[in-house]
Amino acid sequence: MKKDYNQVWQNCLAVIKDNVSPQGFKTWFEPIKAVKLEDSVLTIQVPSQFFYEWLEEHYVTLLKKIIRKELGTEGRLEYSIIMENNLNSANPYTIKVPTSNRKAIKNPPVSMPLDLGETPIKNPFIIPGLRKLNIDSNLNPNYSFDNFVEGESNRLARSAGFAVAGKPGGTAFNPLLIYGGVGLGKTHLAHAIGLEIKSKFPDKTVLYVSSEKFTHQFIDAVKNNTVNDFSHFYQMIDVLIIDDVQFFSGKERTQDVFFHIFNHLHQTGKQIILTSDKPPVEMQGMEQRLLSRFKWGLSADLQVPSLETRIAILRKKMYSDGIELPDDVVEYLAYSITTNVRELEGALISLIAQSSLNKKSINLDLARQMIDKFVKNTAREVSIDYIQKVVCDYFDLPIELLKSKTRKREIVQARQIAMYFAKKMTKSSLASIGAHCGGKDHATVLHACRTVNNLQETDKHFRKYLEDLEKKLSIA
Ligand code: ADP
Ligand code: MG
């Protein structure tokens, strides 16, 4: 039977959704349409060249895997790009696209061959008899020292990292523990050290692993009776980078096996680099003997970057993505998003995507609108109760009715709106939203969200209600 392109793409989307952030999904995948499927080639239409490049740069591995899964090894993906024929020169951002004949081709299909070899070995420690380890270091080449902007906020950690990279295992900084809040650059810096070591000492075996992955590998090893192989594998590493060690907290057996690996590596002069969201003194659920070892070397923190550093980070990012923005927009972003570099980058990306999608130029107004949404959506979470209260106040209804089972029309609508905002603005499950709103099940909530979405597209009064409510909820 011939496969339907829409169905194939829907299947792909379902997997993509589970593998990318909600923001990323919304920004980069929702605007895509599937257009045809011929000879195992699925063609998707993307809104602009920029979209295509972004997808290729950031999601190519995922897309390859998914297409292969859906369409078999023959499967390929082609992009059809909606022509940006009204690119006027007033557009303040430019994308440096290397293709010289970009205007000459209509809907240039860009194909992505899928004939890549097998993916690297997942669990190298199950391969017996490996002598010289030839493993994938799992390092992200984009997270280099070159791309890491130095500032007061990261100076100590950065220079300690640099020192370690120059003499792995040979400085007093062993282990080097980098700690700090979310999105402040711990993972980036950890990769940078690994990359630098790889380039200075190509023979050293460097391994980056998240503590989550480490834990899962360990659990598998226990299941498969291969704990010895697991430990041996890790004991052969020259530079072990473990990200987010706070994840080990409360996991006694994992801590135990890590303790032994740590000791072995440390005694044999190997370098250990750890990251964590807290300094050792504040770590909970961690064995004392492990904590005391974390303190042997150097703990260096990453702080919230200053305004200048935030601007510099944005500029660096823009430079490497080939984007230009007016100064006031850059400053506005840096002023508005203060505590998290990842969010800062996220805002920049959304802004570019928005502008590319709507073919609007990026100016301060667009930035303001976007930031209003972006910062509020990510930084705060309102409660379902609060949403119900705001909705009831707005429509002047008693809240008890909304929580009751009544099917009176205006109550049903208010209830649906409350459900819609609860889904949009909280992390609650559909089931728990339903339970809060008159003891409904998850299907009812889903239906409510769809109804609200449909109405908002077709009914302008209804849309106004939502906008008003959204405003009230966001200044909570
Ligand atoms: P963490 O691991 O602390 O949560 P990440 O290392 O994932 O944070 O950083 C979040 C994002 O911010 C990454 O894209 C990273 O490249 C970027 N970033 C953080 N600090 C810097 C910096 N000093 N210079 C450039 N980019 C940075
Ligand atoms: Mg991280």
Side-chain angles (χ1 to χ4, degrees):
M1 203 187 75
K2 213 166 166 323
K3 284 188 175 172
D4 166 52
Y5 61 83
N6 268 323
Q7 192 52 52
V8 169
W9 181 239
Q10 287 309 320
N11 296 347
C12 295
L13 282 180
V15 183
I16 292 169
K17 199 163 191 168
D18 286 340
N19 284 284
V20 308
S21 70
Q23 175 81 19
F25 185 79
K26 207 167 166 239
T27 309
W28 302 109
F29 294 98
E30 281 185 2
I32 296 177
K33 273 203 211 102
V35 288
K36 65 173 188 228
L37 176 62
E38 266 172 31
D39 306 330
S40 300
V41 179
L42 175 70
T43 307
I44 57 174
Q45 191 179 57
V46 296
S48 68
Q49 174 79 19
F50 180 75
F51 253 76
Y52 152 67
E53 286 172 16
W54 189 273
L55 290 168
E56 277 287 277
E57 197 178 328
H58 296 88
Y59 298 107
V60 70
T61 323
L62 176 66
L63 285 169
K64 277 180 181 167
K65 271 196 202 140
I66 294 173
I67 288 290
R68 195 197 269 175
K69 188 169 149 271
E70 276 299 313
L71 299 174
T73 45
E74 299 287 282
R76 286 155 67 95
L77 188 65
E78 285 194 356
Y79 299 85
S80 152
I81 300 166
I82 299 174
M83 288 305 283
E84 296 169 77
N85 43 14
N86 54 354
L87 264 190
N88 52 12
S89 50
N91 202 333
Y93 81 90
T94 51
I95 301 160
K96 292 171 193 142
V97 189
T99 45
S100 50
N101 52 350
R102 169 170 173 211
K103 285 210 178 94
I105 4 171
K106 240 189 204 160
N107 288 346
V110 191
S111 65
M112 181 175 71
L114 282 163
D115 55 344
L116 72 175
E118 277 312 300
T119 40
I121 312 160
K122 268 219 177 104
N123 274 338
F125 58 84
I126 57 169
I127 306 285
L130 267 185
R131 291 219 48 236
K132 181 67 204 158
L133 278 182
N134 188 9
I135 57 156
D136 184 351
S137 295
N138 283 327
L139 293 168
N140 177 346
N142 294 326
Y143 283 170
S144 61
F145 271 115
D146 277 350
N147 290 338
F148 191 80
V149 174
E150 187 174 355
E152 226 18 82
S153 55
N154 59 40
R155 189 148 293 139
L156 173 65
R158 189 187 171 283
S159 44
F162 210 77
V164 162
K167 227 178 158 193
T171 66
F173 311 150
N174 199 13
L176 174 63
L177 175 83
I178 302 164
Y179 68 91
V182 240
L184 293 183
K186 302 182 292 294
T187 299
H188 187 142
L189 192 54
H191 279 267
I193 301 168
L195 289 168
E196 188 70 20
I197 295 177
K198 266 299 212 206
S199 90
K200 284 202 174 109
F201 310 94
D203 286 341
K204 289 214 185 283
T205 325
V206 178
L207 180 69
Y208 167 91
V209 63
S210 68
S211 37
E212 209 170 337
K213 183 158 168 199
F214 181 93
T215 306
H216 289 145
Q217 288 180 343
F218 174 62
I219 294 171
D220 283 346
V222 171
K223 248 191 248 154
N224 302 328
N225 252 322
T226 53
V227 175
N228 275 338
D229 293 343
F230 172 87
S231 299
H232 276 132
F233 170 74
Y234 276 98
Q235 288 175 1
M236 290 196 288
I237 305 287
D238 296 321
V239 178
L240 179 61
I241 306 171
I242 301 207
D243 204 358
D244 289 319
V245 287
Q246 74 273 6
F247 185 82
F248 286 160
S249 86
K251 302 188 173 66
E252 280 168 32
R253 294 193 62 191
T254 311
Q255 287 183 32
D256 199 50
V257 75
F258 178 59
F259 177 76
H260 292 290
I261 291 168
F262 183 105
N263 285 343
H264 182 92
L265 292 178
H266 200 271
Q267 279 159 16
T268 49
K270 308 298 175 59
Q271 179 71 44
I272 301 151
I273 298 158
L274 309 168
T275 80
S276 159
D277 65 349
K278 288 186 202 67
V281 281
E282 289 171 25
M283 285 185 204
Q284 307 267 328
M286 207 70 93
E287 280 180 49
Q288 210 46 50
R289 55 180 188 165
L290 206 48
L291 285 182
S292 80
R293 272 158 183 77
F294 289 175
K295 293 183 211 154
W296 278 357
L298 177 76
S299 302
D301 68 334
L302 290 177
Q303 290 165 1
V304 173
S306 66
L307 178 67
E308 290 75 49
T309 309
R310 297 200 298 279
I311 292 178
I313 290 174
L314 282 174
R315 293 213 180 284
K316 181 130 229 162
K317 183 88 191 141
M318 285 158 49
Y319 180 79
S320 64
D321 285 348
I323 297 156
E324 281 166 30
L325 291 180
D327 285 349
D328 57 351
V329 171
V330 177
E331 279 160 24
Y332 182 74
L333 290 180
Y335 265 112
S336 315
I337 301 181
T338 54
T339 56
N340 182 324
V341 181
R342 188 177 301 130
E343 261 176 31
L344 191 63
E345 291 184 349
L348 176 68
I349 293 160
S350 303
L351 191 58
I352 295 160
Q354 279 286 326
S355 133
S356 166
L357 194 57
N358 304 331
K359 312 229 172 356
K360 271 197 210 157
S361 58
I362 297 181
N363 56 25
L364 200 53
D365 263 352
L366 186 67
R368 280 216 180 92
Q369 286 167 20
M370 209 269 322
I371 289 284
D372 274 359
K373 276 200 210 127
F374 191 82
V375 176
K376 275 159 200 160
N377 282 346
T378 56
R380 304 170 221 231
E381 179 166 354
V382 294
S383 67
I384 303 180
D385 286 334
Y386 182 75
I387 291 171
Q388 292 178 330
K389 183 186 170 314
V390 172
V391 172
C392 287
D393 284 351
Y394 183 78
F395 291 113
D396 202 16
L397 298 168
I399 195 158
E400 302 74 56
L401 274 183
L402 196 122
K403 292 185 179 181
S404 76
K405 289 193 183 297
T406 178
R407 288 165 180 258
K408 274 172 80 176
R409 195 171 165 276
E410 69 273 32
I411 307 283
V412 169
Q413 188 157 82
R415 195 186 286 131
Q416 288 182 328
I417 292 175
M419 287 171 169
Y420 162 84
F421 279 117
K423 174 76 187 101
K424 188 169 170 185
M425 302 182 119
T426 75
K427 294 191 184 73
S428 310
S429 66
L430 294 170
S432 92
I433 295 171
H436 267 75
C437 301
K440 308 288 184 195
D441 62 16
H442 81 279
T444 311
V445 181
L446 205 56
H447 173 72
C449 295
R450 290 210 184 104
T451 310
V452 172
N453 271 321
N454 288 340
L455 279 172
Q456 115 169 289
E457 273 166 27
T458 50
D459 181 336
K460 81 170 187 278
H461 298 293
F462 192 84
R463 189 158 57 232
K464 175 81 171 54
Y465 294 162
L466 291 188
E467 283 167 6
D468 288 347
L469 280 166
E470 178 138 17
K471 262 193 214 122
K472 288 184 197 298
L473 288 166
S474 328
I475 41 183

